[in-house]
Amino acid sequence: MRTVYVNGEYLPENEAKVSIFDRGFLMADGVYEVTSVLDGKLIDFAGHAKRLERSLNELDMPHPAVLPDLLEVHRELVRLNGIEEGMIYLQITRGAPNDRDFVFPDPKTTTPTVVLFTQNKPGLADSPVAKKGIKVISIEDQRWARRDIKTVQLLFPSMGKMMAKAAGVDDAWMVEDGAVTEGTSNNAYIIKGNTIITRHLGNEILHGITRAAVLRFAKEAQMQVEERSFTIAEAQEADEAFITSASTFVMPVVEVDGVAVGSGAPGPVAARLREIYLEESRKMAV
Ligand code: PMP
């Protein structure tokens, strides 16, 4: 059984409890982060901590007292659960007032709820899926307009994954005004020649921590990076395509809406980027 963290306590998972009045439960009034663990260490923790603070600020959510100590809490959970490879999920909600109300509770009397748990995934880095790539379909992006905030409102992305599953593929790329925004739980990229193309930052997509690192490594490796929107037709004609996220790193995409991308097998650039990302991130893990 896992040991999880809830509001200052490390408890067996079946003893950890949150109120039915918690605003995360009633209103999806919460933010989260997922940090991967390789060799028992945290990948890009500083990036996740920074984005977390930004999400809290954008929603006027009080900072929980534990915020400065989150690295220690992450490390302790990794240790208590013996995680070598996997993920740590962290969620902060606006807390649990004694009733349901649209108005934000007074932060003097209602403090944020903080929950963390581990997900053990041996073989995460050496994934067999990365060797064959994934297939995606396109769907209309029906999420709210502040996708740059990492909130726990994941119903539409969850529905998107179900649409992908029903279509017999692995994931969905969401499209708005004719352009790809991102994957249901990842950022989307295409490659043409020596150029990596991925949507520019804005409120329309989550500012992926893996995205920032991969673009930095790509530039260091003398690849061109174009941050602009692209269409599904452009993706189908690209040499390669891939996604990034904290839990999939760099994952090749080999088919978009039934059309093979490039050779229909993972390409050399995505494979190389995955290698560089894993190598460099392991070096900087804490
Ligand atoms: N976009 C969305 C919609 C996501 O949910 C995620 C992962 N949570 C990402 C992009 C990738 O972000 P990161 O690299 O920080 O995991």
Side-chain angles (χ1 to χ4, degrees):
M1 196 188 299
R2 275 179 287 198
T3 299
V4 304
Y5 174 96
V6 56
N7 295 328
E9 288 188 285
Y10 294 91
L11 296 170
E13 62 184 38
N14 59 350
E15 286 175 30
K17 301 253 180 328
V18 174
S19 163
I20 64 158
F21 296 116
D22 195 278
R23 287 184 57 98
F25 175 63
L26 294 178
M27 302 201 169
D29 187 359
V31 299
Y32 76 109
E33 284 295 330
V34 177
T35 305
S36 59
V37 178
L38 293 177
D39 316 316
K41 289 184 180 172
L42 300 155
I43 301 298
D44 224 331
F45 180 80
H48 290 283
K50 197 168 162 209
R51 184 173 63 189
L52 175 67
E53 199 171 322
R54 178 179 181 275
S55 295
L56 292 171
N57 292 343
E58 290 297 312
L59 296 175
D60 282 327
M61 207 180 279
H63 288 195
V66 71
L67 197 66
D69 305 322
L70 281 181
L71 175 57
E72 289 321 309
V73 177
H74 277 72
R75 282 180 165 156
E76 183 64 1
L77 270 193
V78 167
R79 193 185 68 75
L80 289 169
N81 292 286
I83 307 293
E84 275 300 308
E85 282 195 22
M87 286 97 81
I88 303 196
Y89 177 86
L90 154 79
Q91 177 170 331
I92 300 177
T93 75
R94 202 180 303 272
N98 294 323
D99 203 355
R100 179 175 180 272
D101 191 344
F102 281 81
V103 174
F104 290 174
D106 183 347
K108 289 195 202 73
T109 49
T110 300
T111 54
T113 301
V114 182
V115 168
L116 287 92
F117 56 83
T118 54
Q119 295 182 290
N120 193 28
K121 305 269 181 201
L124 187 67
D126 192 24
S127 153
V129 183
K131 293 184 183 77
K132 66 182 194 31
I134 63 161
K135 298 177 179 178
V136 303
I137 52 166
S138 62
I139 61 173
E140 190 191 333
D141 198 334
Q142 294 184 348
R143 297 173 298 164
W144 80 326
R146 288 303 305 278
R147 303 155 195 160
D148 57 310
I149 309 173
K150 198 165 169 63
T151 74
V152 298
Q153 285 191 58
L154 296 174
L155 184 53
F156 188 72
S158 177
M159 289 167 73
K161 291 261 196 228
M162 294 310 292
M163 292 179 220
K165 201 172 165 186
V169 301
D170 306 288
D171 202 2
W173 279 8
M174 295 177 284
V175 174
E176 186 169 61
D177 299 328
V180 173
T181 51
E182 56 189 332
T184 57
S185 60
N186 43 70
N187 290 114
Y189 306 74
I190 57 174
I191 302 172
K192 287 185 177 182
N194 191 37
T195 306
I196 296 166
I197 300 158
T198 192
R199 193 179 175 105
H200 49 282
L201 296 179
N203 294 349
E204 301 76 25
I205 64 167
L206 186 74
H207 302 188
I209 302 305
T210 320
R211 177 188 183 282
V214 165
L215 293 187
R216 197 171 69 241
F217 298 143
K219 286 173 191 163
E220 283 168 12
Q222 314 305 324
M223 294 177 204
Q224 302 298 315
V225 172
E226 264 180 44
E227 294 180 65
R228 62 159 174 92
S229 38
F230 60 87
T231 63
I232 289 293
E234 217 180 335
Q236 290 171 328
E237 285 158 18
D239 297 326
E240 296 184 36
F242 65 94
I243 56 166
T244 65
S245 74
S247 55
T248 62
F249 313 115
V250 175
M251 180 65 69
V253 170
V254 295
E255 189 186 293
V256 177
D257 280 341
V259 176
V261 178
S263 65
V269 180
R272 179 79 192 112
L273 278 173
R274 183 180 175 90
E275 238 172 56
I276 299 175
Y277 177 77
L278 285 170
E279 196 180 310
E280 295 301 317
S281 307
R282 281 183 201 269
K283 277 191 218 159
M284 297 183 300
V286 294

